[in-house]
Every structure is written in C-alpha cells, then in structure tokens.
Amino acid sequence: MTTDTVLVRRARTSDVRGIRRLVDTYTDDRRLLSKATVTLYEDVQEFRVAADADTVVGCGALHVMWEDLAEIRTVAVDPAYRRRRIGHRIVGELIDAAREIGVARIFVLTFETRFFGSFGFREIDGAPVPQPVYEQLLRSYDEGVAEFLDLERVKPNTLGNTRMLLRL
C-alpha cells in the first residue's frame, strides 16, 4: 500500500464501481453528495482515479462550467490510503488538465480548506462570474453548477462548506 504502487490516471468505465464505493464512503457524513451511478458513468471522462493494481483507491473530477471556469469535485481517497498524498496527486492532475484545456479559474466547494489552500485556492463569497454568465449558468441542470451559483434550493447540501477559487 505505498504510493509507489498507486497510479493516477484517467478513469475508465470499469472504474465507476470503485468511484461509487468511494463516494458512498463519504456521503453518510455529508462530506460528499451522493450521485446517481448513471451520472458517474455519464461523467467518467471528467474523472482521474488513483489505482493500486485494479483497485480504485482515490478519485476526483474536473467539470467545466464555462469558457474560463471549471470545478474540481468528488475528490475522495479510500480511508486505508489516506495520508499518502494521493489526494494531492489527483488534484494536481486535475489542475494540470484545467490548464491544458484553457481554464483560467477553478472552483471548489469544500470542507477541506487547508488541503485546497495548499494549492492556492482562496475563499470567496458569491459566484465570481458576470451577470450574463450567471444567467446562462442558471440554465444548467447540473447540481454542482447550482451549488456554485449558491442557489437557495441547494443550500441544505452546502451547509458548512466553503467556496474557494484558484486563479491559474
């Protein structure tokens, strides 16, 4: 179980069961919101996973929200693999992916402010987009976008979370 055996790579459809297990690990204490399995399959191309042989031991996703804005979401590490910098490796890869596709800002909604702060994320208030973009984002069916916009209907999901932004 050393990090030397753990590979961070793009997720495959065969990894979704492992991602599902990790999400379920952290939904009881509301550290992550549960997601329908079909949503995980639909979004598999957004995910990076940490795998020890064939076992998914960490995951995280980069969801593009607008031309210059993406969200890092669903970051989770198997409790048996914590304190091995696996989460750092996943988030580092997601930040690199954001740079590669031309994203200038990355948003997170998190309880782990120290962790994301170590990458340069800073706390913010409100949605840091101009009004016309805000109005376009209102049309999204994605719950993460609703959380980003701080819409009243998702407030129970986000209680206690901190809104943070990284400028690349």
Side-chain angles (χ1 to χ4, degrees):
M1 273 202 289
T2 66
T3 53
D4 299 338
T5 65
V6 175
L7 172 70
V8 176
R9 59 170 171 74
R10 291 183 69 88
R12 304 174 185 135
T13 56
S14 60
D15 296 322
V16 170
R17 289 176 195 247
I19 295 169
R20 163 93 278 145
R21 179 183 54 80
L22 290 172
V23 169
D24 291 346
T25 298
Y26 292 99
T27 55
D28 282 345
D29 64 0
R30 297 182 55 89
R31 298 199 76 67
L32 285 180
L33 291 177
S34 186
K35 294 180 182 238
T37 302
V38 67
T39 302
L40 297 174
Y41 279 109
E42 289 172 345
D43 297 341
V44 71
Q45 71 279 359
E46 297 180 354
F47 276 88
R48 297 295 188 276
V49 295
D52 189 355
D54 292 330
T55 303
V56 173
V57 298
C59 65
L62 179 72
H63 180 77
V64 175
M65 300 171 81
W66 200 252
E67 177 182 3
D68 65 341
L69 181 67
E71 177 187 13
I72 289 180
R73 53 172 66 167
T74 322
V75 175
V77 175
D78 185 306
Y81 284 77
R82 293 190 72 196
R83 305 264 180 250
R84 292 184 168 94
R85 300 191 57 81
I86 291 170
H88 277 86
R89 291 171 56 201
I90 291 168
V91 170
E93 292 236 355
L94 295 171
I95 291 170
D96 289 346
R99 282 189 180 103
E100 186 178 315
I101 62 174
V103 170
R105 299 174 301 154
I106 304 172
F107 169 77
V108 293
L109 184 64
T110 185
F111 291 106
E112 304 297 335
T113 56
R114 181 182 293 159
F115 172 77
F116 283 101
S118 72
F119 291 94
F121 282 85
R122 300 287 176 248
E123 290 186 32
I124 60 165
D125 287 321
V129 293
Q131 188 63 29
V133 173
Y134 183 93
E135 290 169 11
Q136 289 293 316
L137 290 174
L138 281 174
R139 298 177 182 173
S140 174
Y141 293 105
D142 186 276
E143 285 299 297
V145 173
E147 291 164 358
F148 168 75
L149 297 176
D150 204 22
L151 300 181
E152 201 60 41
R153 69 180 170 82
V154 295
K155 294 247 190 232
N157 297 338
T158 61
L159 290 177
N161 279 305
T162 300
R163 305 162 65 72
M164 299 182 82
L165 191 73
L166 173 67
R167 295 183 189 282
L168 299 178

